[in-house]
Amino acid sequence: TIAGRAWGEAFGRAMRAVAGCFARREARATAAELVAGLLLEVDTRNCWTLAQVLGHPGLHRLQHLLSRARFDHERARQEIACLVIDELAGQSVVLVADETGDAKWSTDCGGAGRRYSGAIGGVGLCQVAVHLVAVTATTKVIIDRALYLPADWAADEERREAAGVPEEIAFATKPQQALAMVTDAFAAGLKARWFAGDEVYCGRELRRGIRALGLGYTVGIAATYQVIDGTGRRWEALKMINKVRSGQWMRRQTGHGTKGTREYDWAWLDVRPDDAPGENRNEKEAGTSVLVARRHRYTGEVSYFRCWAPGDVSLGTLVEVICRRWRIEVLTAPQYLH
């Protein structure tokens, strides 16, 4: 009863925050029912099943909300994001950028095209969206998203008009979209210490922007990615880590899985930063710039991460930030995003 009352108060607070985003109160009431239905334990979530669970005589009310009702969904997202930011105040927040592909059956869908997506298990026709997720020790929640519009879509006025793509939306790379969302989150009052991403988000422009905001970062890189050691010599990440002797790898626990505790071997080496923002790009700034490697205990497979922190940092802290990125893989799966 207590948990139910607390949930009812939290849900009511969220729906009151977005009340002004709807042109009619009927649409607002239907939206509240739809969100409540999406949170129920049902095998399939679509208008038919949700209408049955909610006790509607048919699916017409839900379909009207999704296809014809007037509401400002962007403002609604902003209002909910502000509520989330208030709830996360005082916690150690890691901002994680991640993308997911949503399978489509027609190229008429905005931004749809054939490309690789881990969510659909290969190359296929899909839309790709970049998500910004706030992750703490106990919480993970999406606070922003942006549909990726490929360059050919952005330049095709006829397709844009047919799909209803607003004129102000231009082509932007996924790292540029991620940086814009992080900047917006900071402008809304979010306090975070770290940014994390996979290989898509390891570019210098994005890392420079993240540093300008005062965040540290951990981003995945390829084995062939080049870093610079203390002497100024360039190394591929794979060859750089080969300098680590066998006794210098440290085993650390990274969480729990279905087969028990997960443990990996970790190592790190100092590298020169290449992304100092502003006027200090050519100066050596205070901070910690390292190459981190994670090695599977049994297969020997190695993953690589480029990391920077504004001050001194331990390997344990970097491992924790890297591991928090993994927690959003389920959260950004298409079945949950719908």
Side-chain angles (χ1 to χ4, degrees), residues 227-248:
V227 295
I228 303 174
D229 65 13
T231 65
R233 182 178 176 184
R234 288 187 175 274
W235 296 79
E236 290 185 348
L238 170 65
K239 297 178 180 178
M240 183 84 170
I241 288 298
N242 284 339
K243 298 165 63 175
V244 178
R245 295 189 293 271
S246 58
Q248 294 178 318

Side-chain angles (χ1 to χ4, degrees), residues 94-160:
V94 177
L95 289 175
V96 182
D98 193 42
E99 61 191 72
T100 189
D102 190 9
K104 296 295 178 183
W105 301 104
S106 171
T107 56
D108 295 334
C109 299
R114 290 189 58 83
R115 57 182 59 87
Y116 174 82
S117 171
I120 63 176
V123 177
L125 182 63
C126 61
Q127 285 178 321
V128 174
V130 179
H131 299 87
L132 185 68
V133 184
V135 184
T136 70
T138 59
T139 305
K140 52 183 183 293
V141 56
I142 297 174
I143 60 174
D144 205 349
R145 79 285 175 267
L147 178 67
Y148 174 67
L149 195 67
D152 59 335
W153 257 95
D156 193 331
E157 296 295 337
E158 186 174 338
R159 294 176 74 188
R160 290 173 61 108

Side-chain angles (χ1 to χ4, degrees), residues 260-281:
T261 302
R262 291 194 297 264
E263 293 182 335
Y264 289 89
D265 295 330
W266 298 81
W268 63 343
L269 292 170
D270 290 334
V271 295
R272 285 188 180 181
D274 64 348
D275 52 12
E279 298 177 354
N280 297 320
R281 294 182 182 180

